Amino acid sequence: MSKSQKRTNEKATFSQEHDLEQKIEVEIKMREGSARLLAAAKHRAQSLEAAKALLTSNERMSVYMAELQNRRRESIKQSCTSGSTGKLSISDLRIPLMWRDSDHFKNRGDHRRFAVFCLARLGTEIHDTSLLYPIDRAHTDLSFPDVLIFNNVPSEFELILEIYSHVLQEDLSIASTPRRIKKTIHSSISKTVGKKLAASLRDEFGSAKSGPHFDLVARAKLSLDDTNDNTHTHDLVINSIENKHHSLPLFGHFCCRLAIQPECITKEICIGNVKIDGQNYWARLQGFCIKTWESKKHAEEGQNPEHIIPINKRTSIQPSRTSTKELLINNSGNSVETLLPIKFESKEEVQKWLKLLSAHINDHSRWKHAAEVIQRVSNIENMRNSFISNKRQGSLYDETPLIESIPSDYTSARPTVQTIFDLTPSTSLSSCSSTNSLTSLRSRSLSISGVFKQSGISLKPHLTSANKKA
């Protein structure tokens, strides 16, 4: 390694360490502010948000401190990563809950209520979702409106999603409320027992002053193979916590849209004058292809290119044997007839283009399917404070289709629970438990099933058998 390269690496390492130190200082101030707010909070919403902010700041500080120690421990740190990076977004995060039938439909049984949020970790970056509460047996799933963005993400990334929950203590039971016990302590028990119980209550009050405690109830790991332009289902690893009563009733899976876009798709890699078949063109390397125009002005005006030359993992590039200012591009295997010669203005230009083209080919191989199909990544960092739309997402339960097979000529939208039973978004299935409601639902389902039979669409067996019994 030359002296100039060593100086460059030392400057880059110093800059990264200084950036981490600034981030640590910011989190220290955030932590102090959250602790003050938690101590002064008089309302549940304030204490929950403060406890969430405090936990997030602590996690970020731990990551920053560990990274800073690792960088200082290494004498030589490579400042540049191999290959290009990308922009990653995680959105449409929805987590189904697994309540018992009597809990959700009959609205009885499990009385617990939760406050839930998620942390997404990637390298030294940690993003948090909005806090959802109260979550009780009426909720079939958790729907987070957030769009979390990560920049400068390498192709070999590993994103860790963590789910944190807290049981709202005042909702556990009437008998577990310390203040109510304290009011009746003198009239119901003796002084000796009263003193012992009062001491335990003081300990409980003292521990309660530290604020709500969030438990890490589940986590998941996502990589480049999990990215897609559409929403997909992924597995959760559920953690076992000491108090099972505080465990969130998770189903073991979650849905999200994890999309990534390599920067080389939108970033201009290389530009310059080239000559193809004896004619001069203005060329641009971007998005795994070389596009050429008759002039730079035509390219800036957005006119259609004269040539589009693919540059991907199947492309081979070699210097020409007849000219030092020429490169040969082959996209058809070993066929010599398909070699495309491109001439440049100088030897330096040839070396520059050869280096960048080779790196571009490697990037296409590293980014796998993300280089083949462009995935849409949102530019909105977070949707929790967005004023564009405050419409809540529907339930996964209500949006689950009830049709098993769809004929090829059936092109309309797949009906859901709400459309089949003619329910409005504000109407839940639990509100249709009366006799009159059940009669109307049976008539609707029978009429709908008749339409499906004429169209050749089969309903699921448990639905048809239920109608026969009715």
Side-chain angles (χ1 to χ4, degrees):
M1 183 182 291
S2 63
K3 292 183 178 180
S4 60
Q5 288 177 333
K6 287 184 179 179
R7 291 195 194 100
T8 303
N9 288 340
E10 288 175 358
K11 289 181 180 178
T13 303
F14 177 79
S15 176
Q16 291 172 351
E17 289 182 0
H18 181 66
D19 183 52
L20 278 175
E21 290 174 354
Q22 287 184 326
K23 288 182 178 180
I24 291 173
E25 290 178 3
V26 171
E27 293 305 326
I28 289 175
K29 294 178 181 179
M30 289 290 294
R31 187 181 184 281
E32 292 174 353
S34 299
R36 292 195 189 99
L37 179 60
L38 188 60
K42 296 181 179 179
H43 302 287
R44 181 173 64 185
Q46 295 174 338
S47 61
L48 288 173
E49 290 289 351
K52 169 179 171 288
L54 186 59
L55 187 149
T56 305
S57 293
N58 287 337
E59 294 296 328
R60 285 174 178 160
M61 282 183 59
S62 299
V63 172
Y64 295 155
M65 292 293 291
E67 181 66 17
L68 187 61
Q69 290 178 0
N70 289 337
R71 289 180 181 180
R72 288 177 175 174
R73 192 181 298 117
E74 297 176 4
S75 58
I76 299 177
K77 180 72 178 180
Q78 296 294 333
S79 61
C80 58
T81 59
S82 58
S84 64
T85 58
K87 184 178 181 181
L88 179 75
S89 71
I90 179 171
S91 60
D92 300 325
L93 179 59
R94 307 173 75 175
I95 307 170
L97 300 177
M98 188 172 60
W99 303 97
R100 292 177 299 180
D101 293 343
S102 59
D103 298 335
H104 177 67
F105 292 105
K106 297 181 181 180
N107 197 25
R108 66 186 184 189
D110 200 334
H111 53 264
R112 294 175 299 167
R113 298 202 294 176
F114 296 87
V116 187
F117 74 97
C118 298
L119 288 184
R121 302 169 176 263
L122 202 159
T124 57
E125 285 191 75
I126 298 178
H127 293 328
D128 61 316
T129 66
S130 53
L131 181 67
L132 300 183
Y133 73 94
I135 302 298
D136 57 17
R137 58 197 176 196
H139 295 77
T140 56
D141 58 276
L142 308 173
S143 295
F144 293 91
D146 311 271
V147 178
L148 307 180
I149 303 293
F150 294 88
N151 294 306
N152 302 320
V153 177
S155 60
E156 60 276 4
F157 74 89
E158 182 180 75
L159 184 142
I160 300 176
L161 182 70
E162 297 177 339
I163 303 175
Y164 290 86
S165 72
H166 166 71
V167 178
L168 303 179
Q169 297 292 339
E170 62 270 27
D171 296 326
L172 291 179
S173 65
I174 297 176
S176 66
T177 307
R179 287 183 174 85
R180 295 190 179 184
I181 297 177
K182 193 175 182 180
K183 288 180 181 179
T184 59
I185 193 171
H186 295 289
S187 60
S188 58
I189 55 178
S190 63
K191 289 184 179 180
T192 304
V193 178
K195 288 181 181 179
K196 294 180 180 179
L197 185 55
S200 65
L201 289 173
R202 280 196 299 270
D203 295 339
E204 185 174 349
F205 285 137
S207 62
K209 288 181 181 179
S210 61
H213 174 71
F214 284 89
D215 294 307
L216 174 60
V217 293
R219 63 190 303 165
K221 292 183 180 181
L222 302 173
S223 64
L224 177 62
D225 295 331
D226 299 307
T227 60
N228 197 283
D229 198 40
N230 299 315
T231 303
H232 278 261
T233 304
H234 309 280
D235 295 331
L236 275 176
V237 178
I238 300 177
N239 294 342
S240 58
I241 58 179
E242 294 182 3
N243 193 341
K244 294 183 179 180
H245 190 76
H246 291 184
S247 180
L248 189 68
L250 296 171
F251 194 73
H253 305 279
F254 72 100
C255 305
C256 75
R257 181 180 177 273
L258 185 70
I260 193 165
Q261 191 176 101
E263 65 175 6
C264 49
I265 290 179
T266 56
K267 182 181 178 182
E268 199 174 72
I269 305 301
C270 189
I271 55 173
N273 294 311
V274 299
K275 184 177 289 187
I276 300 176
D277 297 332
Q279 186 173 352
N280 293 323
Y281 294 98
W282 174 261
R284 176 195 295 159
L285 174 61
Q286 179 183 337
F288 302 109
C289 67
I290 298 176
K291 295 182 180 180
T292 65
W293 292 266
E294 291 183 356
S295 64
K296 183 180 179 180
K297 183 180 179 181
H298 288 177
E300 293 174 348
E301 291 176 352
Q303 296 187 18
N304 293 330
E306 299 294 330
H307 300 89
I308 299 179
I309 307 168
I311 303 295
N312 49 49
K313 59 186 178 183
R314 294 171 290 275
T315 304
S316 63
I317 301 173
Q318 58 188 32
S320 175
R321 297 180 180 178
T322 58
S323 175
T324 56
K325 299 180 181 180
E326 189 176 70
L327 290 177
L328 301 178
I329 298 179
N330 185 3
N331 279 303
S332 300
N334 298 324
S335 177
V336 181
E337 299 178 357
T338 58
L339 289 176
L340 177 65
I342 300 179
K343 291 186 177 181
F344 298 89
E345 295 179 336
S346 63
K347 294 180 181 179
E348 291 75 17
E349 282 289 301
V350 170
Q351 294 300 321
K352 182 182 75 171
W353 276 84
L354 180 60
K355 180 180 178 181
L356 293 175
L357 285 169
S358 301
H360 212 52
I361 293 172
N362 292 333
D363 284 338
H364 190 275
S365 178
R366 290 170 56 250
W367 286 108
K368 301 179 181 178
H369 63 282
E372 300 283 351
V373 180
I374 298 178
Q375 302 174 19
R376 295 170 291 111
V377 176
S378 176
N379 291 321
I380 302 177
E381 178 70 20
N382 203 307
M383 295 292 292
R384 73 180 65 172
N385 296 321
S386 175
F387 297 96
I388 299 174
S389 174
N390 57 1
K391 183 179 179 181
R392 184 186 180 275
Q393 287 180 309
S395 169
L396 281 175
Y397 178 85
D398 295 333
E399 293 180 4
T400 302
L402 299 179
I403 300 174
E404 285 186 338
S405 60
I406 300 178
S408 58
D409 58 345
Y410 184 71
T411 57
S412 59
R414 297 178 71 179
T416 62
V417 173
Q418 291 181 347
T419 56
I420 286 181
F421 294 108
D422 195 20
L423 298 176
T424 60
S426 60
T427 306
S428 62
L429 290 180
S430 58
S431 64
C432 303
S433 58
S434 63
T435 306
N436 295 333
S437 300
L438 286 174
T439 304
S440 61
L441 286 177
R442 290 190 188 104
S443 61
R444 291 172 191 163
S445 61
L446 287 173
S447 61
I448 292 294
S449 62
V451 174
F452 287 158
K453 287 179 181 179
Q454 293 176 2
S455 303
I457 304 169
S458 61
L459 288 174
K460 289 186 178 180
H462 68 273
L463 289 175
T464 55
S465 60
N467 290 334
K468 289 179 181 179
K469 291 179 181 179

